[in-house]
Amino acid sequence: SQTIHQWPATLVQPVGSPLSLECTVEGTSNPNLYWYRQAAGRGLQLLFYSVGIGQISSEVPQNLSASRPQDRQFILSSKKLLLSDSGFYLCAWSPLAGGYNEQFFGPGTRLTVL
Amino acid sequence: AQSVTQLDSHVSVSEGTPVLLRCNYSSSYSPSLFWYVQHPNKGLQLLLKYTSAATLVKGINGFEAEFKKSETSFHLTKPSAHMSDAAEYFCVVSDGLSGGYNKLIFGAGTRLAVHP
């Protein structure tokens, strides 16, 4: 069966510090991978998606970047955090086959920028 | 373009009473629809999905949803609420294959409270 891991679970960082959140998927190959952010009182916002190694697409302009150095690894980064980067970050995967497939979510990372 | 509207931001029920969470969608073609649940500080868990098979879809934990094309609705129901059902629920429509991946459109969420 497939599992998805995210770490760390919680993170408190000062404004201006760098960020690295990691997501890994087990039990599948060539997944599509996604980063979402869920800010307090708001819905889910898709930040990045990837359909393969090194292939990253950004949905919204922002202070964050993403990388996919390995097939089942997805990293969310920032060089300098802003207060507005606080939120709950969720990684998700879906099968590579296109169409109407659901996405499977990781446990999330709670980021607080002070 | 696809869209989804969850008609209630908050729903409160007593334990043992029925649950109804309402969702309407907009789609230019036959959609795929999902319900996800999110407990506090947890990821989203798939409850059930509709993909143009049976219109009444059964999911986990006793939840089910009925796809009604004429009403463009996909309401989530459960006959008897349990305290552990207290969570946020998201109705989601798939925008199909776009840019090489299936984009999901999320509703704003409905927070379900269950009282003893």
Side-chain angles (χ1 to χ4, degrees):
Chain A
S1 64
Q2 300 86 11
T3 55
I4 179 169
H5 304 279
Q6 286 186 246
W7 64 89
T10 60
L11 192 59
V12 180
Q13 292 285 90
V15 169
S17 63
L19 173 73
S20 181
L21 303 182
E22 189 165 345
C23 170
T24 59
V25 181
E26 296 176 355
T28 186
S29 296
N30 295 326
N32 288 343
L33 296 172
Y34 312 85
W35 277 112
Y36 289 86
R37 177 170 59 203
Q38 192 175 26
R42 301 179 64 179
L44 274 79
Q45 180 186 33
L46 179 63
L47 302 175
F48 300 95
Y49 67 91
S50 171
V51 299
I53 295 175
Q55 299 179 63
I56 310 294
S57 296
S58 174
E59 282 289 296
V60 293
Q62 57 209 315
N63 186 42
L64 303 169
S65 62
S67 62
R68 184 171 177 175
Q70 300 181 44
D71 180 45
R72 291 168 291 176
Q73 184 185 29
F74 205 23
I75 297 172
L76 184 69
S77 303
S78 174
K79 293 181 178 178
K80 289 185 177 182
L81 283 169
L82 305 172
L83 286 174
S84 57
D85 291 324
S86 293
F88 193 51
Y89 288 82
L90 291 159
C91 181
W93 75 274
S94 67
L96 178 62
Y100 308 102
N101 289 309
E102 63 270 35
Q103 294 175 15
F104 302 95
F105 287 81
T109 295
R110 172 74 58 192
L111 172 65
T112 303
V113 183
L114 301 175
Chain B
Q2 311 270 48
S3 67
V4 61
T5 302
Q6 292 184 242
L7 300 172
D8 307 291
S9 59
H10 291 81
V11 170
S12 181
V13 300
S14 298
E15 190 175 21
T17 64
V19 175
L20 170 64
L21 305 183
R22 299 182 294 164
C23 173
N24 286 116
Y25 70 91
S26 171
S27 173
S28 56
Y29 50 90
S30 183
S32 283
L33 293 157
F34 313 90
W35 275 99
Y36 284 85
V37 61
Q38 184 181 30
H39 288 89
N41 291 310
K42 302 291 185 184
L44 277 71
Q45 180 184 20
L46 181 67
L47 276 179
L48 50 81
K49 64 177 180 179
Y50 166 77
T51 53
S52 72
T55 56
L56 183 61
V57 182
K58 293 188 183 298
I60 62 171
N61 300 335
F63 284 95
E64 63 181 37
E66 186 172 8
F67 174 73
K68 292 187 175 180
K69 186 175 181 179
S70 60
E71 300 176 10
T72 62
S73 69
F74 190 58
H75 301 336
L76 182 70
T77 60
K78 183 174 180 178
S80 176
H82 191 272
M83 295 297 289
S84 61
D85 294 327
E88 185 136 25
Y89 292 79
F90 293 94
C91 182
V92 182
V93 62
S94 172
D95 201 22
L97 192 61
S98 174
Y101 79 105
N102 59 304
K103 183 172 184 177
L104 298 185
I105 309 298
F106 288 82
T110 297
R111 185 165 298 278
L112 175 65
V114 182
H115 302 287

